[in-house]
Amino acid sequence: MSLGLNLNIARVQLLARKRQTVVAMLGVTFGIAMFILMISFMKGVNQFLQDLMMSTTADIRIYNKLNTDYSTSLAGRYFSDPAGKWIIVRHPKPKQVNLNIKNAPGIVNDLRKSDRILAVSPLLSSLVIFNYGPVQWAASVDGVDIMAEDKMFGLSAKMIAGRTDDLLRMDNGIIMGYKLAKDLNLAPGDLVTLTTQSGTQLRCRVVGLFKFGISTMDEFRAYINLASMQQLLGKDRDYITDIRIKLKDTREAKKLAAVYARKYGYTADDWEVVNASIKAGNTIRDTLTYVVSFTLLVVAGFGIYNIMNMVITNKLKDIAILKAQGFTGADIMQIFLSQSLIIGIAGGLLGLLLGFLLSFGMSRVPFPEDGYVSIKFFPVLFESQYYFFGMLFGILTTFLAGMLPALKAAKIDPVAILRG
Amino acid sequence: MQTPVLEAVKLNKYFHEPQEFHVLNDVSLTVQKGEFISIMGKSGCGKSTLLYLLSTLDTDYEGTITINNTVVSGLNERALARFRNRHIGFVFQFHYLLPEFTVLQNVMMPAIKLGALDTAAIEQQAMEKLQQMQMQDLAGKPAGKLSGGQQQRIAIARALINKPDIIMADEPTGNLDSANTAIIFDIFHEIAQQGNTIITVTHDEDFARRSDRIIQMVDGKITG
Ligand SMILES: Nc1ncnc2c1ncn2[C@@H]1O[C@H](COP(=O)(O)OP(=O)(O)OP(=O)(O)O)[C@@H](O)[C@H]1O
Ligand SMILES: [Mg+2]
């Protein structure tokens, strides 16, 4: 009813002490600007690290987990002792096992039918010694269907020499990380000999080099055709140890991993399990953002609290006269609370603008080149929800900070003031 | 034409701090419509205290106060605020105006709060009141920039804006020089002649003599 009048009084009083109002506003402005900058940057870092990780990690990986449970022994079954009470084998030696996925081509075909899946890439991987002249170097070589692998990780975009499909045209081609090639002093067209642990060898011709910007990939990884790998390891054409899946929606990974594990009877890990440390890092950065922003907003809140308390002390007479004229305690509270809120909203909007400008500036700062991480600028995300939350926090803080002084003003006894 | 505007019956008030003090002792009082009443008495006898009770600002007392046939004793804060806004006009010793607002805005404010008229009508009435106080030339000035005498005249205009049933004044000239005191006294007589009911606390014998009735107080009691 009297809201219009009360707001008008609040506005006139605010304008009458511009400097104080601006100081209080700037507190909120900086608090919110910092919140926007911090969260945009931290989320940018999170996103960058996740993208980096996802560029080498499948959403879901299906594989045959090596059985490391030695508590039961075959001996028990042979000697009909089901409870394992009498026959105890101490420190059994693991038997030679095949870690392949049986019926792998069937599973791959089955998965490729699903419309939730973007790409399915079968893998047979092995640690291999590279011989180039006298130089020997250990690296992991993946035997892949290069087209599927390209779909999974966007390999062709990371080629700095040759092309991914050169692998298909060449009989025994190899694509390797550019650092690995540098260590071995190899260039495209050169021949290199791969030697497995069991001594089998394969001569390959370098057809391409890639650069991921991650040294574990660039220095210790190479790709050959799946068939070449099976041949090198002396396995048959269906021998595959891993099936990797890229989903249309990454967030479904956890759910679908469980589904596939049950369906095919093999272990299926989603990317969150594989990269738990990334998640921990995200959580830490998020926490840091909220702690710092919270602190800044609390400081701004205290600023407003102080200023409003001071204002009310200076305005005791005015409050008494308003009450004598027929303003209720609720009216007085509205007058002073709306002053805090106006400060909060104006300061907050300014903070959003400043936060955006700072984030934008940051996203234009070149990232120091170090050769390991391929990133040109500081990673910054621009998401409307950060701005929404920034504003929400700003208004909430000023509301709380203004509440106590406003309540105090509402309770002032006019008689005590008017007596003089 | 004897219609009581205000009736106070057996008002008692105590202060508990710093020590128990019986400041008003069985004060009863009837004010007729159109009466101009002066309350006199020694400093500390309880004149201001009585006025704050009658004006509904102070609610901590025993007894009953009826204004304009409404028993105001025991009404809640909201109802009292509304009641004051509509029925009571104030003038204080310290001419309290809101310094950030203009003279005109100060005068208009109680009427805007009441909300009975639109802004244009309120402004017109406020200008009339200012004219009556010969303050119309200062209408656009910030209230904080005026002298004490000028401010007190504006405070009177503000007290009149809602055509209250009673105007209460606590030593309205207590802070003014003799020239301004004379002006304020004249204004009070003028508005009394226009039919307003006035209760004023004063130490000025001449001023009191020109009113309809003088109420003498001694130590929290009305003696005549
Ligand atoms: N808040 C209070 N607490 C305790 N005692 C008070 C309080 N306010 C006033 N008194 C006392 O009550 C008595 C009456 O005070 P009041 O202000 O009504 O006197 P007064 O007649 O208006 O005096 P003056 O002519 O000086 O204005 C005084 O003795 C004063 O000291
Ligand atoms: Mg007094």
Side-chain angles (χ1 to χ4, degrees), chain B residues 131-144:
Chain B
Q131 254 152 23
Q132 193 182 343
M133 307 297 145
Q134 291 169 358
M135 288 277 105
Q136 69 274 24
D137 297 342
L138 299 178
K141 278 219 163 190

Side-chain angles (χ1 to χ4, degrees), chain A residues 2 5 9 12-13 16 315 317-318 321-331 414-415 417-420, chain B residues 15 48-49 52 57-58 77-78 81-82 84-85 90 92 94 96-101 109-110 112-113 158:
Chain A
S2 310
L5 177 59
I9 295 174
V12 171
Q13 290 193 343
K315 288 272 168 237
K317 278 186 184 179
D318 304 59
I321 202 71
L322 285 171
K323 282 195 163 181
Q325 280 178 29
F327 285 73
T328 60
D331 288 323
V415 175
I417 311 295
L418 294 172
R419 277 181 188 282
Chain B
F15 283 122
S48 296
T49 307
Y52 290 128
L57 275 176
D58 190 346
E77 190 245 13
R78 249 191 132 68
R82 179 100 192 127
R84 276 199 297 279
N85 182 229
F90 281 101
F92 302 98
F94 307 97
Y96 293 121
L97 299 177
L98 302 183
E100 303 92 348
F101 289 84
M109 198 167 286
I112 296 173
K113 175 71 189 161
R158 182 179 62 188

